């Protein structure tokens, strides 16, 4: 009786361990292509979080082989390049890339951003002598251009649970999460991305 219980447990454990575990595909492999086919590959999470790119290679094309994912990349000379699904996109003009973020297009299509508090976040950009402007950003990680030329000293968001990243014209990278953050040194902001 004792032997049959042990054999039964052994069969149950062996059967459970034989069940294949499906790997999670939370990362997207992106290929950055420069002149003379020089290139590098970097992984990005598909949750919309912003990731720094530290390779100084000047990039002419960005390629993804993953369908259903959209990625946006910011260049050192203020390019904003979006790759949707499995495609190769030109970067114009070619330049070093600074940051990137990727998110699922399926998630975005089932819950489109709207103007409610759940889909957009309002950010205040503050310059000298209390000059300021306000701009809304979707919370899906998409990079949005900022066209106001005001030199910015502080950036403020009052939306809890949302993190935003902003690129300045002189290569500042400012991260804001529910509060007021200094921009150093003060400069015009060129693009921003927010995610929950």
């Amino acid at each position: 009786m004792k032997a049959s219980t042990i054999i039964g447990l052994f069969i149950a454990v062996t059967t459970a361990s034989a069940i294949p575990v499906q790997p999670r595909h939370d990362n997207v492999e992106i290929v950055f292509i420069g002149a003379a086919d020089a290139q590098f590959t970097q992984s990005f999470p598909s949750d919309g979080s912003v990731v720094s790119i530290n390779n100084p290679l000047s990039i002419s094309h960005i390629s993804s082989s993953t369908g259903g994912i959209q990625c946006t990349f910011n260049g050192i000379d203020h390019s904003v390049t979006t790759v949707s699904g499995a495609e190769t996109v030109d970067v114009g003009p070619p330049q070093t890339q600074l940051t990137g973020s990727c998110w699922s297009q399926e998630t975005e299509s089932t819950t489109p951003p709207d103007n409610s508090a759940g889909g957009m976040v309002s950010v205040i950009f503050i310059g000298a002598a209390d000059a300021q402007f306000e701009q809304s950003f979707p919370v899906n990680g998409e990079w949005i251009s900022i066209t106001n030329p005001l030199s910015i000293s502080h950036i403020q968001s009052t939306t809890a649970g949302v993190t935003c990243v902003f690129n300045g014209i002189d290569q500042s990278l400012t991260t804001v999460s529910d509060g007021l953050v200094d921009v150093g040194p003060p400069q015009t902001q060129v693009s921003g991305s927010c995610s929950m």
Side-chain angles (χ1 to χ4, degrees), residues 2-56:
K2 203 175 204 183
S4 65
T5 304
I6 292 172
I7 291 171
L9 284 172
F10 176 76
I11 291 171
V13 169
T14 306
T15 305
S17 64
I19 297 171
V21 176
Q22 294 295 325
R24 293 184 60 187
H25 297 288
D26 291 334
N27 287 331
V28 181
E29 295 293 317
I30 301 294
V31 180
F32 297 88
I33 306 163
D37 288 329
Q39 60 184 286
F40 67 92
T41 301
Q42 184 168 331
S43 234
F44 293 84
S46 59
D47 61 2
S49 54
V50 179
V51 176
S52 293
I53 302 168
N54 297 316
N55 192 309

Side-chain angles (χ1 to χ4, degrees), residues 12-193:
V13 169
T14 306
T15 305
S17 64
I19 297 171
V21 176
Q22 294 295 325
R24 293 184 60 187
H25 297 288
D26 291 334
N27 287 331
V28 181
E29 295 293 317
I30 301 294
V31 180
F32 297 88
I33 306 163
D37 288 329
Q39 60 184 286
F40 67 92
T41 301
Q42 184 168 331
S43 234
F44 293 84
S46 59
D47 61 2
S49 54
V50 179
V51 176
S52 293
I53 302 168
N54 297 316
N55 192 309
L57 182 66
S58 181
I59 301 303
S60 303
H61 313 285
I62 302 175
S63 180
S64 170
S65 59
T66 307
I69 297 290
Q70 182 168 324
C71 302
T72 303
F73 303 95
N74 281 293
I76 198 165
D77 292 326
H78 316 300
S79 68
V80 177
T81 306
T82 299
V83 180
S84 296
E87 69 174 352
T88 299
V89 175
D90 294 339
V91 176
Q95 59 195 271
T96 299
Q97 299 299 294
L98 298 177
T99 60
S101 64
C102 297
W103 61 94
S104 170
Q105 290 177 307
E106 284 80 18
T107 302
E108 189 175 310
S109 64
T110 56
T111 54
D114 56 29
N115 291 326
S116 68
M120 303 288 281
V121 60
S122 185
V123 177
I124 301 170
F125 297 87
I126 305 166
D130 291 328
Q132 62 183 344
F133 67 92
E134 192 169 337
Q135 184 169 332
S136 292
F137 295 84
V139 294
N140 62 4
E142 180 181 358
W143 282 94
I144 303 295
S145 293
I146 301 169
T147 58
N148 191 309
L150 182 66
S151 180
I152 300 303
S153 303
H154 314 284
I155 302 175
Q156 182 176 21
S157 170
T158 57
T159 306
V162 175
T163 299
C164 300
V165 178
F166 301 98
N167 286 315
I169 198 164
D170 293 325
Q171 278 71 58
S172 69
L173 189 63
T174 307
T175 302
V176 181
S177 297
D178 188 21
L180 180 72
V181 175
D182 294 339
V183 176
Q187 59 196 272
T188 298
Q189 300 298 294
V190 294
S191 61
S193 172

